[in-house]
C-alpha cells in the first residue's frame, strides 16, 4: 500500500475521521447549534460558565488601549466585556471559524450598542490572518478542543501575540476531585444529549460536544503543548473541581 493510500485520521468526538474532514464536521455542529448556543450554555453548565468567563476577564490584566483577540469567540461574551475595558483607543477582534456563530455574535453585540472598537474576522485558529506581534492579549474560551491541529493553532497564536503578551485558554478539562468523574460522565453522556434533543432538537451535536471534551488534552498535557509552542511562565488554574481549567502563558 502506498503512502497515498493511507489517509491520516483524527478524532471527531469518539469517531475517527480523515483529518481533511474534521473542520467541516465541526462546522456542521456549530451551524446547527448557533441559534440556541447561549441558552444551551446556561442549561449545560447551570449558568456557571458565566462565572468561569468572569474569572478569566478579572485575571486577564486587560487595560485601556489594548488590542485583544477573542478566538472562537462565538456569540461574544468575552468580547462584550473587553470592549468596555479597552475603551475607544483599544481594539477587540472577535474571531470564529464558523460563519453562523460569528454572525450571531455580530448581531448580538450590535444590538447591545457595541461598535467602533470591535472588528469581526472569520478565521481558522491554525493559520491566523493577522500580522506578527499584533495583540496584547489572546483568549480562546471553549474552542481549542474543536481545533484539528492544536499545536499549529498554539504556534499561530504565539506568532500574532506581542512580546510581553498573554494567552488565556479557558477549556473543559479533566476532573481532579475523587468521584467527580463518574458523576460528570453520567451527566455528559445521558443528560446532556437529552437536553440537546429537547431544547435544540439536536441530540447528536451535543453528544459530540460531550465526546470532544473527553478527547481534549488534560491539564498537564496542554501546559506542555503551550511550552512546546514557545510560551513561557505557563500555568493553569482548575475550576469546579477540574471540570474546567484556565491555562495561561506569556510571550517574551
Amino acid at each position: 500500500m502506498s503512502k497515498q493510500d493511507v489517509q491520516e485520521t483524527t478524532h471527531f468526538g469518539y469517531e475517527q475521521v480523515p483529518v481533511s474532514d474534521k473542520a467541516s464536521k465541526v462546522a456542521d455542529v456549530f451551524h446547527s447549534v448557533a441559534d440556541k448556543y447561549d441558552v444551551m450554555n446556561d442549561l449545560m453548565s447551570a449558568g456557571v460558565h458565566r462565572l468561569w468567563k468572569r474569572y478569566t476577564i478579572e485575571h486577564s490584566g486587560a487595560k485601556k488601549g489594548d488590542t485583544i483577540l477573542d478566538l472562537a469567540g462565538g456569540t461574544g461574551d468575552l468580547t462584550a466585556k473587553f470592549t468596555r475595558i479597552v475603551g475607544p483607543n483599544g481594539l477587540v477582534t472577535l474571531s470564529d471559524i464558523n460563519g453562523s456563530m460569528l454572525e450571531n455574535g455580530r448581531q448580538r453585540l450590535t444590538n447591545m450598542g457595541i461598535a467602533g472598537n470591535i472588528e469581526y474576522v472569520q478565521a481558522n485558529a491554525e493559520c491566523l490572518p493577522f500580522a506578527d506581534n499584533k495583540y496584547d492579549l489572546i483568549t480562546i474560551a471553549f474552542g481549542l478542543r474543536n481545533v484539528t491541529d492544536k499545536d499549529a493553532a498554539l504556534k499561530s497564536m504565539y506568532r500574532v501575540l506581542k512580546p510581553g503578551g498573554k494567552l488565556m485558554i479557558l477549556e473543559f478539562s479533566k476532573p481532579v476531585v475523587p468521584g467527580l468523574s463518574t458523576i460528570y460522565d453520567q451527566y455528559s453522556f445521558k443528560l446532556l444529549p437529552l437536553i440537546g434533543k429537547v431544547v435544540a432538537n439536536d441530540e447528536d451535536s451535543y453528544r459530540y460536544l460531550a465526546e470532544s471534551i473527553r478527547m481534549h488534552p488534560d491539564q498537564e498535557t496542554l501546559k506542555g503543548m503551550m511550552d512546546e509552542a514557545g510560551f513561557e511562565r505557563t500555568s493553569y488554574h482548575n475550576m469546579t473541581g477540574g471540570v474546567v481549567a484556565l491555562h495561561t502563558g506569556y510571550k517574551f
Side-chain angles (χ1 to χ4, degrees):
M1 183 180 292
S2 67
K3 289 185 178 180
Q4 288 78 8
D5 294 328
V6 179
Q7 190 166 25
E8 188 177 355
T9 63
T10 188
H11 59 84
F12 174 73
Y14 288 164
E15 180 186 356
Q16 286 293 311
V17 300
V19 168
S20 57
D21 290 353
K22 179 170 179 175
S24 64
K25 285 182 171 291
V26 171
D28 288 342
V29 169
F30 284 92
H31 285 311
S32 175
V33 304
D35 290 338
K36 296 283 188 180
Y37 190 73
D38 291 326
V39 173
M40 286 301 298
N41 273 348
D42 281 327
L43 289 173
M44 286 162 56
S45 68
V48 179
H49 75 100
R50 298 179 185 277
L51 300 180
W52 298 330
K53 291 172 181 175
R54 182 186 302 171
Y55 181 93
T56 301
I57 292 164
E58 289 174 349
H59 290 79
S60 68
K63 60 188 183 301
K64 288 187 181 300
D66 275 355
T67 52
I68 299 177
L69 172 60
D70 182 14
L71 263 181
T75 51
D77 284 349
L78 294 181
T79 291
K81 299 292 194 301
F82 283 136
T83 57
R84 297 186 178 97
I85 293 172
V86 304
N89 295 322
L91 176 69
V92 182
T93 303
L94 174 57
S95 182
D96 202 292
I97 194 174
N98 187 276
S100 297
M101 293 292 292
L102 193 63
E103 183 57 31
N104 275 21
R106 184 199 304 271
Q107 291 179 11
R108 179 185 179 210
L109 298 185
T110 300
N111 290 339
M112 292 170 65
I114 297 173
N117 63 349
I118 183 173
E119 63 178 0
Y120 301 89
V121 179
Q122 186 170 353
N124 186 337
E126 297 173 20
C127 47
L128 294 170
F130 307 116
D132 295 356
N133 308 315
K134 177 178 174 69
Y135 292 102
D136 296 291
L137 171 69
I138 299 175
T139 59
I140 178 167
F142 306 112
L144 186 61
R145 73 181 188 280
N146 296 307
V147 174
T148 304
D149 190 339
K150 296 175 181 59
D151 292 314
L154 289 169
K155 290 175 183 175
S156 190
M157 293 177 215
Y158 184 87
R159 178 184 63 77
V160 304
L161 195 62
K162 289 180 181 179
K166 182 179 184 179
L167 169 66
M168 306 182 81
I169 302 171
L170 181 65
E171 188 56 89
F172 291 106
S173 200
K174 300 297 183 286
V176 295
V177 175
L180 182 56
S181 290
T182 302
I183 298 170
Y184 188 41
D185 282 346
Q186 290 292 315
Y187 167 76
S188 299
F189 294 110
K190 292 189 176 179
L191 188 57
L192 181 56
L194 180 60
I195 292 173
K197 182 178 181 179
V198 172
V199 176
N201 194 30
D202 191 347
E203 183 176 355
D204 291 343
S205 290
Y206 286 92
R207 181 175 293 107
Y208 159 74
L209 292 174
E211 292 175 357
S212 70
I213 292 169
R214 298 312 189 278
M215 299 302 291
H216 186 67
D218 63 20
Q219 288 91 325
E220 284 293 330
T221 302
L222 180 54
K223 181 180 181 298
M225 292 167 67
M226 294 172 68
D227 292 336
E228 187 67 25
F231 291 97
E232 298 181 52
R233 285 174 54 192
T234 56
S235 63
Y236 60 86
H237 172 73
N238 286 321
M239 292 183 273
T240 317
V243 168
V244 163
L246 176 64
H247 282 70
T248 59
Y250 296 82
K251 175 180 177 177
F252 295 121

